[in-house]
Amino acid sequence: MCGISGCYKKDLDEDEIRNKLIKMNHSLKHRGPDSEGIYVDSDIGLGHTRLSIRELTDLGAQPMLNFDKSIVLSFNGEIYNFLNIKNQLETLGAKFRGKSDTEVILKTYEYWGLDGLKKLEGMFAFAIWDKSKERLILMRDRLGIKPLFYRILDSGIIFGSEIKAIKASGFFDNEIDNQALSEYLWYGYSFEEKTIYKGIKNLLPGSWLILQKGNLIVEKYWKLEDWLDKPKFKGTKSECLELLNLNLIKAVERQYSADVPVSLFLSGGIDSTALALASKDIDSGQKAYTALFKERSSNLDFLNAKKVAAKLDLDHELLSISDKDIGNTIEKLAKIHDEPFADSANIPLYLMSKEFNNQGKVVIQGDGGDELFAGYRQHSILLYSGLLSKLPIIGFKFNNTSFENYISRFNRLINISKEKNQGLKIARSMTMELFEESPLRLFKIEKQISFNNDTDPFLVFKNLDKRLKDRELYEKMIFNELSLQLPSQFLTKVDRATMAAGVESRVPLLDDQFAEFSLSIPYDWNINFFRRKRILRNFLKKKLPKSIANSPKSGFGVPYSIWLYSKLFKDVESSILDEQFIEKFGLDRFKVHELFLSGKNNNRSIFLIWKIYQLSKWYYLVHNAN
C-alpha cells in the first residue's frame, strides 16, 4: 500500500515539477513511510511513497519503469490475480526482474494495452505514463477500495491518493462545492465524483481517465451490471454453501499473499468471523486482534470475538484503545480525511490501526459483508415496505421517553415505506434526518433558499432510480450500497483511518471473484422478515455455535453522543457557535445553540450536532489552514 501523486503540465519545466512532487510526496508520507521515489521527464512527473509489502528489495521500488524506459508506473494497492497474469505473460516471452505485482501491471499494459488492464483484480489506484504514445492513464479498482483524486488544469492535470497531495502542489482552489456540502449535511459524506472542493474530483470506481495529446477521456471500464446481470445460482442451498466456502477460502488465500505477515481484525461480527473460519484453512497460526475502549468493560461483538478466537484456537490479542484524548484524535482525523466526514467509526479504526502498527503492516477485515449479504436494517425496511406502508401512523403521545422514541422510530419506518419514488425511499432509509426536519433548518432563511435552488441532496438517488427504472427494489438497494454508499463512506473510512497509521487493510469479502459469486446468490436466501445475512449465518453454523452465528449486529458502539456532552462539551460549544464559522456557512446561531442544548435529551438531534461539529473541525483545521 502506498501513496501516489503526479503532475502533467505543459508550461512547467522539470525542476518545477520535481519540486511540486517532493511536496506532494511529503504530504503522503504516512501512506508510505518506508521509502519514496520521483520520476520526471519533460512535462510529466510521478511521485510515490512506499509501504513495503511485496518484493521488499529495491526491485519493488516505484515509480517503476519497463526495460526500455518507455512506460512508467506509480501504483497503490494489491493485484490479487497477478501470479496468474504473470504466468500468461511469461508464455508470451515476458521477462521479469523481480516478483512484485507492480511489475506485472507494467508488463500487462506493455503486452496488451488498455484492454489488458481490464484483467486486473484487486484493490488499486495507479498512474501509467506511456512516453511513446504521450498517454497518461489514471485507473481505479472496480469497487473503489483505493482512492484517487484529480484536478484538471489549463494545460494538464494534477492528481494524488489524497486531496492533501493536490493541495501541496499549489494548484489548489478551496472554493466549496455546495452540492457536496448539501449531501454531507444529510448523510455525513458526499457521493460519487464530488468532493467538498469544487475543482477536485474523485475518480469513480471502475473508471479510468486517459489524457493523450491534449484529449481527455473519463469513462467506466467496468459496470456493476457486469456482475448483477449474470445468471443467478441454480443449485440447492447446500451446494451454495459449499461454493460459498470454497470461494471465501480462495478470496482469503489470494489476499493473504504478501512478503510480510498478514493478520486479522476480529470484531466478533458475522463478517470477520467468516474470514477467521476461512483463514484457518490457510494458516493455522493465524494472529487475530480485537479492539476495546479501556473505558468500556465489554460489548457484544467483543464477547463474540473471544468466543470465536477460543473455538478456532486463534492467536488472539486485545488492542486496548482509549478515548482519553478523544479531542486530539478527532482533530487528527479531520486533517486525515481532508473533507468533512461524520462516520464516527473512523475513530476506533484509527486508534486500532495505531496500536496494530506496533505489531505489523497488513490486516484483513470484514467490510463488504453487509452490502453483499443484506446485513443492514434498511434491507428489511425496504424489502417489506409494501406491508409497512399499510400500517397507520401512531399519532398520540406517551409519558415514557424510551417508548416515545421507539414509537417515533416506528412512525419513521412507516413514512419511509409510504414513499412512492424508490430512489427517495432508499435515500430516506439511509439518513437519520427526517424530510420534515431537514438539516437546512439550522441555516438562515436566505441560505436555505440558496441550498434549495442550487442543490439537491437526493439527486444521486433519483438518478439511480432512473438508471435502474426496470429493476427490482432489492437490485436498486445493491446498486446504492456497492456504487454509492460503500466507496463514499465505508471504504473511505477504512482507507484513511488505516493508512494514516501506516497499515494496509485488505477486504476479502470485496475480492472481485468472491463479490461476483455473492451477487449470484438469490436475494431471498439472504433475508426474510426475521433474519438478515441468512446464507452467511448458515455457513457459520456448520462450524461454530449457533449463539455466534445468530448473534445480532451490534457494531463497535462509538459513544459520541456521550462525548458531546462530557469530554467534548466545551470544544463542541465553542466550535459550532464560533462567529466566523457561523457566518461562513450561513448558519443561524440561535438555532444551532438551541439544537445543541436540547440534543442531550433528543436522540434524533445527536447525529446532526455531530455533523455540524465535524464540519467546524474541518473548517478550522483544513479549509482555513495555511
Side-chain angles (χ1 to χ4, degrees):
M1 198 70 67
C2 309
I4 69 170
S5 58
C7 177
Y8 179 45
K9 202 165 192 312
K10 290 288 188 179
D11 54 2
L12 293 183
D13 61 35
E14 290 189 10
D15 285 341
E16 289 174 308
I17 290 177
R18 181 175 289 104
N19 288 335
K20 290 187 180 300
L21 287 173
I22 289 171
K23 294 175 182 176
M24 294 170 80
N25 268 2
H26 181 73
S27 74
L28 298 174
K29 191 65 178 176
H30 55 283
R31 297 185 70 93
D34 293 334
S35 64
E36 61 181 297
I38 288 173
Y39 165 89
V40 179
D41 180 27
S42 187
D43 43 21
I44 179 73
L46 301 181
H48 190 266
T49 61
R50 185 183 184 196
L51 183 67
S52 301
I53 302 298
R54 206 186 292 276
E55 181 55 271
L56 305 183
T57 72
D58 288 344
L59 292 175
Q62 297 187 53
M64 184 180 287
L65 286 78
N66 65 342
F67 283 110
D68 67 6
K69 299 183 180 180
S70 63
I71 303 171
V72 60
L73 167 69
S74 186
F75 161 56
N76 167 34
E78 303 288 343
I79 306 300
Y80 297 124
N81 64 334
F82 83 101
L83 288 176
N84 178 267
I85 294 174
K86 185 177 183 180
N87 290 336
Q88 295 177 46
L89 289 165
E90 286 177 332
T91 63
L92 298 176
K95 304 294 182 184
F96 292 86
R97 298 186 184 99
K99 54 181 182 179
S100 70
D101 51 351
T102 308
E103 193 174 5
V104 171
I105 300 174
L106 265 178
K107 291 293 183 183
T108 297
Y109 176 73
E110 188 174 16
Y111 273 72
W112 295 316
L114 288 169
D115 282 342
L117 297 179
K118 296 178 183 179
K119 296 175 180 284
L120 302 175
E121 296 175 359
M123 56 177 191
F124 56 81
F126 59 74
I128 290 177
W129 170 246
D130 185 334
K131 187 174 181 178
S132 62
K133 290 184 172 65
E134 294 184 52
R135 174 195 282 170
L136 176 67
I137 304 161
L138 305 184
M139 186 169 178
R140 192 175 177 202
D141 65 66
R142 291 171 179 81
L143 294 176
I145 303 171
K146 300 304 355 163
L148 187 53
F149 298 91
Y150 67 93
R151 184 181 183 198
I152 302 299
L153 306 174
D154 290 338
S155 56
I157 188 172
I158 195 90
F159 59 89
S161 294
E162 297 180 17
I163 291 174
K164 57 178 60 68
I166 297 175
K167 190 172 185 178
S169 75
F171 293 121
F172 182 73
D173 182 346
N174 67 358
E175 183 181 359
I176 291 174
D177 185 320
N178 282 329
Q179 174 64 28
L181 177 59
S182 177
E183 290 172 2
Y184 169 80
L185 291 168
W186 280 88
Y187 311 101
Y189 47 89
S190 59
F191 295 105
E192 296 186 321
E193 77 280 357
K194 292 180 294 299
T195 75
I196 195 65
Y197 299 109
K198 217 168 194 179
I200 298 177
K201 301 299 180 185
N202 192 351
L203 186 64
L204 288 175
S207 298
W208 56 28
L209 179 154
I210 301 170
L211 180 59
Q212 186 169 10
K213 297 180 180 179
N215 296 315
L216 177 69
I217 297 172
V218 181
E219 63 183 9
K220 300 282 284 184
Y221 66 84
W222 173 87
K223 294 183 176 67
L224 187 57
E225 291 93 326
D226 296 346
W227 289 350
L228 276 175
D229 288 342
K230 290 189 176 180
K232 295 297 181 185
F233 180 77
K234 298 295 185 183
T236 66
K237 288 185 181 179
S238 294
E239 291 169 336
C240 183
L241 286 173
E242 184 60 32
L243 277 176
L244 177 64
N245 181 50
L246 293 174
N247 277 281
L248 185 57
I249 290 172
K250 182 179 179 181
V252 171
E253 187 172 28
R254 293 208 310 174
Q255 299 204 19
Y256 264 77
S257 174
D259 293 335
V260 296
V262 179
S263 302
L264 170 71
F265 274 173
L266 182 65
S267 70
I270 297 298
D271 305 324
S272 66
T273 298
L275 296 180
L277 266 176
S279 69
K280 284 293 290 181
D281 291 329
I282 300 165
D283 181 2
S284 59
Q286 176 60 50
K287 187 84 174 177
Y289 296 86
T290 302
L292 185 68
F293 278 117
K294 291 177 182 177
E295 293 77 11
R296 300 180 66 184
S297 58
S298 67
N299 70 3
L300 180 59
D301 278 355
F302 172 71
L303 296 175
N304 280 341
K306 290 176 68 175
K307 291 179 185 177
V308 171
K311 182 69 176 178
L312 298 179
D313 195 28
L314 300 177
D315 184 359
H316 188 224
E317 186 173 325
L318 174 68
L319 294 175
S320 183
I321 59 177
S322 175
D323 66 5
K324 182 179 180 181
D325 198 18
I326 191 63
N328 188 44
T329 298
I330 287 171
E331 292 189 351
K332 286 180 180 177
L333 284 166
K335 296 175 184 177
I336 286 165
H337 278 276
D338 295 320
E339 304 182 78
F341 186 77
D343 184 348
S344 61
N346 64 353
I347 295 171
L349 183 55
Y350 170 64
L351 295 174
M352 286 168 63
S353 300
K354 281 180 63 181
E355 287 296 314
F356 174 74
N357 180 267
N358 299 320
Q359 311 286 337
K361 288 183 176 182
V362 185
V363 68
I364 296 286
Q365 59 185 70
D367 291 85
D370 288 318
E371 290 77 12
L372 293 172
F373 296 101
Y376 293 120
R377 185 178 293 110
Q378 67 213 44
H379 288 111
S380 299
I381 297 169
L382 295 171
L383 194 63
Y384 294 98
S385 60
L387 175 62
L388 288 169
S389 66
K390 293 179 171 59
L391 298 176
I393 296 293
I394 300 175
F396 45 89
K397 298 291 184 180
F398 296 86
N399 294 325
N400 185 294
T401 303
S402 297
F403 194 62
E404 183 71 36
N405 288 333
Y406 176 81
I407 294 300
S408 175
R409 288 195 296 271
F410 183 73
N411 284 339
R412 180 173 178 269
L413 299 185
I414 295 174
N415 279 322
I416 291 171
S417 299
K418 292 180 184 296
E419 174 62 57
K420 299 300 183 184
N421 183 287
Q422 291 187 337
L424 288 177
K425 185 176 289 190
I426 292 172
R428 294 184 72 166
S429 74
M430 283 181 57
T431 175
M432 294 293 291
E433 309 301 336
L434 301 177
F435 278 24
E436 299 78 18
E437 295 183 11
S438 163
L440 296 185
R441 69 186 187 276
L442 296 183
F443 292 79
K444 294 175 182 176
I445 296 299
E446 57 270 25
K447 188 66 175 179
Q448 291 184 38
I449 294 172
S450 174
F451 268 124
N452 287 327
N453 288 340
D454 301 333
T455 73
D456 182 354
F458 314 110
L459 181 62
V460 292
F461 300 98
K462 294 174 183 176
N463 289 341
L464 179 143
D465 193 55
K466 290 177 183 177
R467 173 185 170 189
L468 308 175
K469 61 181 180 180
D470 296 325
R471 292 183 180 267
E472 297 293 332
L473 179 58
Y474 77 87
E475 287 190 300
K476 294 179 182 179
M477 285 191 283
I478 293 171
F479 263 90
N480 161 58
E481 284 156 6
L482 291 179
S483 299
L484 296 178
Q485 191 176 8
L486 190 68
S488 298
Q489 180 185 7
F490 299 115
L491 294 176
T492 293
K493 171 194 69 182
V494 170
D495 178 81
R496 303 304 186 281
T498 56
M499 290 308 301
V503 170
E504 174 175 296
S505 174
R506 299 181 180 181
V507 282
L509 296 180
L510 295 176
D511 182 277
D512 297 73
Q513 293 183 19
F514 182 77
E516 183 177 352
F517 165 75
S518 300
L519 291 175
S520 75
I521 298 172
Y523 194 73
D524 58 358
W525 288 11
N526 283 319
I527 186 171
N528 62 21
F529 192 80
F530 303 101
R531 181 72 69 187
R532 299 184 293 275
K533 287 188 176 177
R534 294 169 63 210
I535 201 78
L536 205 55
R537 293 178 189 276
N538 289 336
F539 165 72
L540 295 183
K541 286 176 185 177
K542 286 179 168 290
K543 299 180 181 179
L544 291 171
K546 288 185 179 180
S547 61
I548 295 174
N550 290 331
S551 178
K553 182 179 178 67
S554 67
F556 198 85
V558 182
Y560 71 84
S561 59
I562 297 173
W563 294 337
L564 286 173
Y565 293 96
S566 56
K567 299 172 184 289
L568 297 175
F569 184 87
K570 289 184 179 179
D571 186 56
V572 175
E573 187 175 41
S574 63
S575 296
I576 66 177
L577 298 177
D578 178 81
E579 195 61 37
Q580 185 181 7
F581 171 66
I582 291 287
E583 288 300 316
K584 170 65 180 179
F585 290 96
L587 289 157
D588 184 311
R589 193 175 191 277
F590 173 78
K591 291 178 180 177
V592 173
H593 195 205
E594 185 179 49
L595 180 78
F596 182 53
L597 292 179
S598 65
K600 191 172 183 179
N601 299 313
N602 185 351
N603 290 334
R604 286 221 310 255
S605 301
I606 292 295
F607 187 45
L608 180 54
I609 296 167
W610 182 255
K611 285 184 289 188
I612 297 298
Y613 177 53
Q614 295 301 317
L615 179 65
S616 72
K617 301 312 284 186
W618 168 78
Y619 174 69
Y620 301 129
L621 299 170
V622 181
H623 185 73
N624 266 8
N626 294 325

